[in-house]
Amino acid sequence: MPKVGIITDSINCLPPELLKEYDIRVVPQSLTINGQAYQDQIDITPSEFWEIFPEMKEFTTGAPSLGSLTSTFTDLGKTTDSMVCIVVSKALSATHEAAVQAREIVKSECPNLNIEIIDSRTAAGAQGFIVLEAARAAQAGKDLAEVVRVAQDMIPRVKFVTAMETLKYLIKSGRAPKTAYLGEVLQVKPIIGMVNNTGLVENLGRVNGKQKAMVKLVDLMKNYIDISKPLHINVHYTNRIEDGEKLRDLVTSQLPCTEVYLTPYTPVMAGHTGPVVAISFYSG
């Protein structure tokens, strides 16, 4: 049993087998589609989301409930007195604030619990890689301070780039970079991502056509990696796994990858983006 428990939210995009292997606890984000409330990845799967998507008129999301956060902290506190909760960028979600509130509630009843809340300043598999390395440190027997240091060291290293089919969903959610609005009006689709450790979605360029977009993503990756070091990638897809497979093969044919995953966006993410392909990655 690791000395330190690891918790994250459902935006992490880690494969289920890794979550199980490292006993990473996942607290679901909340979402509402056409008036129906769901818990991300619990009440609705990615495939179920895409069945509903053509009829989706209303879509909202929210942070994990205080109840789910407090119960996760309390349950984990039965086996360890130290835990690290790594969440999606607080510039994009109220999850960090909710986790801090939940910590105060739990510590009022269990004052000996040590609960560190970390803003990943990113999302998707980039967030997941931070979580994964923290979990590996915990499994190796590192103490709380060491696990926190591993997570903090990972934050500036992980990157995340995305090719959008349309920006209308991201614009509607209020999470699009400001320069995206003009691009959508002109039918020019920018490449977006989170690469500068700001916690915000950034505009990284523009391109026409799906194949060119995939090539652009791989070219962008090369600006942020050291090819002399091991490359870790998690390729994400939404409604077409074939697009994810194509992008994964494009990356692995050009770059030497040590760790490769292929995972879907969860419903809470896909509702804000619509159809996309994306890559989360870091080297070293």
Side-chain angles (χ1 to χ4, degrees), residues 86-89 118-123 127 130 155 158 197:
I86 303 167
V87 299
V88 64
S89 171
I118 296 178
D119 173 11
S120 71
R121 297 206 293 274
T122 189
Q127 173 187 338
I130 299 168
I155 289 173
V158 294
N197 203 31

Side-chain angles (χ1 to χ4, degrees), residues 6 84 86 118 129-138 140 142-158 282:
I6 304 297
V84 178
I86 303 167
I118 296 178
F129 277 131
I130 299 168
V131 173
L132 182 57
E133 288 309 300
R136 285 170 170 161
K142 304 296 185 183
D143 64 20
L144 180 61
E146 291 172 312
V147 172
V148 169
R149 186 161 51 250
V150 167
Q152 296 287 9
D153 287 347
M154 284 291 294
I155 289 173
R157 295 170 59 196
V158 294
Y282 73 98

Side-chain angles (χ1 to χ4, degrees), residues 253-269:
S253 68
Q254 295 187 37
L255 298 167
C257 300
T258 299
E259 193 171 25
V260 179
Y261 305 112
L262 177 67
T263 62
Y265 267 15
T266 72
V268 80
M269 300 168 67

Side-chain angles (χ1 to χ4, degrees), residues 193-215:
M194 303 180 78
V195 295
N196 291 316
N197 203 31
T198 64
L200 297 169
V201 177
E202 302 153 280
N203 185 24
L204 302 176
R206 53 187 65 186
V207 70
N208 293 315
K210 186 179 293 185
Q211 184 61 35
K212 288 182 179 178
M214 291 187 185
V215 171

Side-chain angles (χ1 to χ4, degrees), residues 241-257:
I241 191 172
E242 296 87 352
D243 290 339
E245 291 169 338
K246 185 180 294 185
L247 180 56
R248 176 198 60 196
D249 294 345
L250 188 62
V251 177
T252 56
S253 68
Q254 295 187 37
L255 298 167
C257 300

